[in-house]
């Protein structure tokens, strides 16, 4: 064809004789909708869909929890929360202890009056819910709801009292959920106030709370009965408790460096401490039907958030599951055996096991912002308050040993994790012990990558060496340590499939 010549339109060919006229086929989907996918209806289609196509899909594993770089940097990813942590060589050489700032010889009064939690100051805290006392046979006994007149008749090894300054106050529960003081708590409050010693006790604590809140303590005197009862409701029906140990200093301390921490308790004392905390957790769930989770934690020393350098745990009922539990739940729904495969089993394969006994296992954790030791119950029961005494004591023994290996001069947070009561997915009870030896700063805030100064293997070696010494001196309960720990997979029996 010559360039520039006009193009002729093509002529339509007439249909062949006997041919069917063209038909318009309606689409199987409407405007803007995706076409329907045909349902496989032959064996060949099913094989392609269920076998061949998955085989051709690319394998996309998640990030490894632990990666060692060429220069020695260790990058960590928590398999439970996705937290990213780096340990850079040379940054772990800094001291981790926080010695007592003012050292002086102890006076007799300081042994029982060093702070508001000390045993001479029973009336400076709100009325007790429970106390544990030592029996002559070296056992322990729990006494509930002591009247004020009997507070000093016995020596409390551990006391459970309401927190004077709650995270979620009684007013929070009342205003947001309509929570009212239960009948049993109201009867106890009225009986406590009917005792002159009890009335004087709560008035003293109420004035202290008003003063600390910036209000006039004298306003207590002008309150009517209804206003006083509303103010005191938190003392008898609150959802934030403190469990206080007896000693501020050890019995053999000669100066203020001799603080009494979890690791300075005997194994038997620590078991009693843990049992009281477990029972209190259950009690907080029962007392308030709007509580969806009870957070249990222990802040040791001021750099870790403690108000007093006096051993105590806190229990806080909240109306949500909490971020940690929610993040873990997302992952454990996808892999119900996650705590075995990416927790204890991965630690065993990586040489991070620290200690073990019949019902619990401990290892150096990974993917945490701070150097962290973890203790998992191997029980098939998820709720600690439903476990046998032996199972609770097994967890207690390992937690106690890790505190003893850590030392009283290292700030730490002990954090409990258990299955929220409204979750159907099994989740094992476990406890983390975090060494608060660094401060989060601008790098962490800007990148959400956290610098952990001690890598898991260094932490494991340091703690195992100390545990071996403590065991030789019989300062901790019997247990396997380090290389002695069993390494068989799936030790955590929370997953019901493992029991079939």
């Amino acid at each position: 064809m010559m360039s520039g010549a006009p193009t002729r339109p093509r002529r339509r060919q007439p249909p062949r004789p006997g041919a069917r006229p063209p038909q318009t086929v309606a689409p199987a989907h409407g405007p803007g909708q995706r076409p329907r996918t045909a349902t496989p209806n032959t064996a060949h289609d099913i094989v392609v869909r269920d076998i061949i196509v998955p085989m051709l899909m690319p394998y996309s594993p998640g990030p490894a929890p632990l990666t060692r770089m060429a220069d020695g940097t260790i990058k960590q990813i928590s398999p439970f929360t996705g937290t990213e942590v780096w340990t850079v060589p040379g940054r772990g050489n800094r001291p981790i202890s926080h010695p007592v700032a003012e050292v002086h010889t102890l006076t007799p009064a300081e042994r029982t009056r060093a702070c508001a939690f000390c045993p001479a100051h029973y009336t400076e805290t709100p009325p007790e819910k429970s106390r544990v006392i030592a029996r002559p046979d070296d056992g322990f006994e729990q006494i509930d709801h002591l009247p004020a007149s009997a507070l000093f008749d016995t020596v409390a090894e551990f006391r459970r009292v309401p927190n004077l300054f709650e995270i979620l106050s009684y007013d929070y529960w009342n205003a947001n959920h309509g929570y009212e003081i239960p009948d049993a708590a109201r009867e106890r409050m009225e009986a406590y106030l009917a005792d002159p010693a009890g009335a004087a006790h709560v008035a003293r604590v109420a004035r202290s709370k008003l003063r600390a809140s910036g209000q006039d303590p004298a306003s207590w005197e002008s309150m009517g009965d209804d206003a006083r009862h509303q103010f005191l409701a938190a003392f008898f029906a609150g959802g934030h408790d403190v469990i206080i140990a007896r000693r501020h200093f050890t019995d053999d301390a000669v100066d203020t460096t001799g603080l009494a921490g979890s690791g300075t308790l005997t194994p038997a004392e620590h078991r009693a401490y843990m049992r009281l905390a477990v029972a209190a957790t259950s009690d907080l769930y029962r007392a308030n039907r709007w509580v969806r989770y009870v957070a249990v934690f222990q802040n040791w020393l001021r750099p870790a958030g403690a108000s007093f350098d006096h051993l105590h745990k806190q229990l806080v009922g909240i109306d949500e599951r909490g971020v940690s539990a929610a993040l873990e739940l997302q992952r454990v729904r996808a892999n119900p055996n996650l705590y075995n495969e990416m927790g204890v089993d991965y630690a065993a394969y990586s040489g991070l096991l620290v200690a073990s006994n019949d019902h619990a296992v401990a290892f150096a954790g990974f993917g945490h912002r701070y150097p962290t030791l973890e203790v998992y119950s191997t029980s098939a029961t998820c709720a600690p308050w439903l476990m046998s005494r032996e199972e609770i004591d097994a967890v207690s023994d390992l937690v106690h040993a890790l505190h003893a290996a850590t030392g009283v001069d290292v700030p730490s947070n002990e954090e409990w994790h258990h299955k929220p009561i409204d979750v159907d997915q099994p989740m094992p009870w476990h406890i983390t012990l975090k060494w608060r030896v660094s401060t989060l700063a601008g790098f962490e805030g800007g990148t959400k990558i956290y610098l952990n100064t001690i890598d898991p293997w260094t932490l494991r070696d340091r703690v195992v060496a100390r545990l071996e010494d403590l065991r030789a001196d019989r300062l901790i309960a019997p247990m396997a340590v380090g290389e002695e720990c069993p390494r068989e997979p799936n030790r955590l029996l929370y997953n019901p499939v493992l029991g079939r």
Side-chain angles (χ1 to χ4, degrees), residues 359 377-382 387-388 391 428 491-495:
H359 300 292
S377 168
T378 62
S379 173
T381 303
C382 293
M387 292 182 183
S388 68
E391 290 172 329
R491 286 196 63 194
L492 308 185
L493 302 180
Y494 76 97
N495 182 357

Side-chain angles (χ1 to χ4, degrees), residues 87-408:
T87 302
V88 180
R91 294 185 64 87
N93 298 327
R94 296 175 294 180
I96 65 172
S97 63
H98 285 255
V100 175
E102 181 186 349
V103 180
H104 63 265
T105 302
L106 285 176
T107 65
E110 284 179 308
R111 294 186 180 277
T112 58
R113 299 176 181 274
C115 73
F117 285 171
C118 284
H121 295 153
Y122 287 163
T123 57
E124 291 190 13
T125 59
E128 285 184 20
K129 292 184 176 181
S130 304
R131 71 167 48 182
V132 170
I133 64 172
R135 296 198 309 255
D137 62 357
D138 295 330
F140 295 91
E141 177 183 349
Q142 180 174 322
I143 304 174
D144 297 328
H145 306 153
L146 272 177
S149 56
L151 286 176
F152 292 93
D153 291 350
T154 56
V155 176
E157 298 298 325
F158 305 99
R159 309 169 61 223
R160 176 188 170 198
V161 302
N163 193 310
L164 193 57
F165 300 99
E166 303 162 288
I167 291 177
L168 295 185
S169 67
Y170 172 83
D171 291 338
Y172 173 93
W173 294 103
N174 179 259
N176 293 305
H177 297 287
Y179 173 70
E180 297 286 349
I181 182 169
D183 291 341
R186 185 179 299 279
E187 291 172 3
R188 178 175 170 248
M189 179 174 68
E190 292 172 353
Y192 205 87
L193 295 176
D195 179 359
H201 175 203
V202 297
R204 178 179 180 177
V205 177
R207 293 189 194 98
S208 296
K209 183 173 183 177
L210 289 168
R211 184 183 300 108
S213 302
Q215 303 178 57
D216 182 6
S219 62
W220 174 256
E221 309 302 333
S222 60
M223 287 185 188
D225 287 344
D226 290 344
R228 286 187 177 186
H229 284 189
Q230 183 69 18
F231 187 92
L232 295 176
F235 292 0
F236 296 90
H240 185 167
D241 290 347
V242 183
I243 297 179
I244 304 168
R246 170 172 63 87
R247 303 177 186 90
H248 191 112
F249 300 101
T250 61
D251 294 339
D252 59 355
V254 296
D255 58 35
T256 51
T257 63
L259 292 174
S262 283
T264 65
L265 298 172
T266 67
E269 289 173 334
H270 194 269
R271 288 179 175 186
Y273 185 32
M274 289 280 285
R275 288 188 212 121
L276 182 58
V278 168
T281 303
S282 176
D283 187 53
L284 288 178
Y285 275 121
R286 290 195 308 268
N288 184 344
R289 66 186 179 93
W290 287 281
V291 168
R292 296 180 67 193
Y293 192 74
V294 175
V296 184
F297 57 94
Q298 175 178 295
N299 301 331
W300 174 248
L301 302 182
R302 292 181 188 273
S307 301
F308 299 110
D309 294 343
H310 189 125
L311 180 61
H312 64 282
K313 293 189 193 304
Q314 297 187 60
L315 302 91
V316 184
I318 60 176
D319 53 358
E320 298 181 7
R321 293 173 181 169
V323 174
S324 293
L327 289 172
E328 291 187 17
L329 183 60
Q330 290 176 359
R331 288 165 168 80
V332 79
R333 286 201 188 282
N335 178 5
N337 204 38
L338 183 70
Y339 294 100
N340 274 309
E341 294 177 12
M342 302 307 296
V344 176
D345 291 357
Y346 189 88
Y349 299 149
S350 302
L352 295 174
L353 295 184
V354 170
S356 178
N357 57 28
D358 289 343
H359 300 292
V361 58
F363 60 90
F366 35 88
H368 295 283
R369 300 178 185 183
Y370 305 99
T372 300
L373 299 161
E374 304 192 41
V375 176
Y376 274 76
S377 168
T378 62
S379 173
T381 303
C382 293
W385 54 90
L386 298 179
M387 292 182 183
S388 68
R389 179 166 176 160
E390 291 75 16
E391 290 172 329
I392 296 172
D393 289 350
V395 173
S396 174
D397 287 347
L398 294 192
V399 172
H400 169 257
L402 297 183
H403 276 293
T406 299
V408 296

